[in-house]
Amino acid sequence: MSYSSLVSSNALAADSRSLDTLKLKAGQEKSPAAIKEAAKQFESLFMRELLKSMRQATMKSGLNDSAGEKLSTDMLDQQFAVKMSGQPGGLSALIEKQLSHQTAGTDVDDPASPAKRSTAPAINHLLHRTAASTNATNATNATTVTKTTGAPAGDFVQQHEDAAERVATESGIPASFMLGQAGHETGWGRHEIRSRGGAPSHNLFGIKASSDWKGRTVDVTTTEYVNGKPHKTVARFRAYDSYDDSFRDYAKLINDNPRYAKAREKTANAQAYALELKRAGYATDPAYATKLSRAIASAAQWQQQTS
């Protein structure tokens, strides 16, 4: 197995076994590219632990302290860590230098090299602590996934993943994008649009009923933002016979409506897609793009965790 097949540029080494394998492969191949990739993976783990420590040091509000929310936050931190690693002048450059010395058989503690003697032990200590901490985090996350798929986001993704995948194949819009947006619009299924009698509308995307809509409708109170300030108003929303119909109608709206043309061009990047939806006026919330991109990241990670 080649090093490139062992780990892709977007992958994240998630446990000490993966770390050891990365380091071993770098040593066996002794190629600059392999060593550079291993260093990047090490740095991404360190950045994840740094983000975790920062969150733990922040006072909790109590609003998002459920097991599912905590797992979603940790998953998002993993995404950020991967994006932040490998930057010029970052920690990965030091780690790369350390790995290069080790794979070349150089004694990094050679007294003749004070700089090596001062940095190598610190890096090794950091890597050991990062691997140990990551193992503990992953063990907790594995328990959360298996025991809590009472977590709203996890349950929601499991419930609607098949429908999202079917429509993704038909429409070209990634399933994680649709699952994330549906999750955001409904509070991961906790706040679905319902009629006064409680009957479900199956409307997962908050699509309103315009004058040309010929199907069923539901009138509900919603929040709209005017000049950046929230206001309560009653709006008319579309109602469907099934959740599958909701996914299909959403995909049709995005693919057929010219106002979302730029969003259709950004399906390779969740943040860009979310931003273009906001710019096109999909929602009036000023922070919609940020919230949506976070929800998409959570949905994507839940898909991986529960698959």
Side-chain angles (χ1 to χ4, degrees):
M1 178 185 296
S2 67
Y3 184 84
S4 59
S5 64
L6 175 68
V7 56
S8 71
S9 61
N10 291 323
L12 175 65
D15 53 46
S16 60
R17 183 179 301 174
S18 296
L19 291 173
D20 291 340
T21 303
L22 284 168
K23 192 172 179 179
L24 176 62
K25 294 298 290 185
Q28 289 176 341
E29 295 187 13
K30 297 185 179 181
S31 70
I35 294 172
K36 186 179 184 68
E37 182 62 28
K40 181 179 177 181
Q41 295 293 321
F42 280 123
E43 184 184 18
S44 69
L45 285 170
F46 170 73
M47 294 304 302
R48 176 183 170 187
E49 293 305 305
L50 178 61
L51 289 168
K52 178 183 175 183
S53 297
M54 291 171 63
R55 293 189 187 281
Q56 289 175 339
T58 303
M59 184 176 293
K60 302 296 190 298
S61 66
L63 296 177
N64 296 307
D65 289 344
S66 70
E69 294 294 344
K70 289 178 181 177
L71 178 58
S72 295
T73 298
D74 183 61
M75 292 173 177
L76 185 62
D77 285 347
Q78 291 185 46
Q79 295 278 339
F80 284 140
V82 172
K83 293 292 184 182
M84 293 165 64
S85 62
Q87 298 299 316
L91 180 63
S92 63
L94 288 175
I95 300 174
E96 182 180 351
K97 184 177 181 180
Q98 167 72 3
L99 291 177
S100 296
H101 284 308
Q102 289 183 348
T103 56
T106 303
D107 184 2
V108 297
D109 288 327
D110 185 349
S113 179
K116 295 176 185 177
R117 186 175 68 251
S118 61
T119 60
I123 293 175
N124 281 331
H125 179 65
L126 169 64
L127 297 181
H128 286 308
R129 289 193 60 182
T130 300
S133 180
T134 301
N135 280 341
T137 299
N138 287 341
T140 301
N141 285 352
T143 302
T144 301
V145 170
T146 55
K147 290 187 178 179
T148 339
T149 309
D155 284 345
F156 186 88
V157 168
Q158 283 192 330
Q159 179 183 358
H160 298 293
E161 185 173 16
D162 288 345
E165 292 289 357
R166 285 193 292 270
V167 175
T169 301
E170 301 166 2
S171 67
I173 302 173
S176 61
F177 286 23
M178 292 185 283
L179 289 167
Q181 190 163 9
H184 173 67
E185 294 289 343
T186 64
W188 300 109
R190 291 171 292 188
H191 309 296
E192 289 186 28
I193 297 173
R194 295 181 179 273
S195 67
R196 290 185 178 180
S201 69
H202 298 106
N203 187 335
L204 296 175
F205 297 92
I207 300 177
K208 293 178 181 176
S210 55
S211 58
D212 60 346
W213 174 251
K214 305 303 181 184
R216 294 185 297 111
T217 62
V218 176
D219 293 341
V220 297
T221 300
T222 186
T223 300
E224 298 291 348
Y225 287 79
V226 180
N227 297 323
K229 296 182 179 180
H231 296 275
K232 293 291 184 182
T233 184
V234 176
R236 180 159 294 175
F237 292 85
R238 300 181 183 186
Y240 308 99
D241 294 329
S242 68
Y243 291 123
D244 283 59
D245 289 343
S246 180
F247 278 101
R248 289 193 178 91
D249 192 46
Y250 168 81
K252 185 176 187 298
L253 174 69
I254 299 302
N255 283 334
D256 293 354
N257 194 321
R259 69 191 290 186
Y260 299 119
K262 290 187 177 180
R264 291 195 298 272
E265 297 173 357
K266 304 296 184 180
T267 53
N269 185 296
Q271 291 179 324
Y273 179 82
L275 182 60
E276 292 301 339
L277 285 186
K278 172 64 182 70
R279 288 174 173 171
Y282 191 97
T284 57
D285 182 354
Y288 190 78
T290 300
K291 294 175 181 177
L292 178 55
S293 61
R294 286 177 64 93
I296 291 174
S298 293
Q301 291 291 346
W302 273 108
Q303 282 187 287
Q304 294 177 9
Q305 294 283 342
T306 58
S307 62

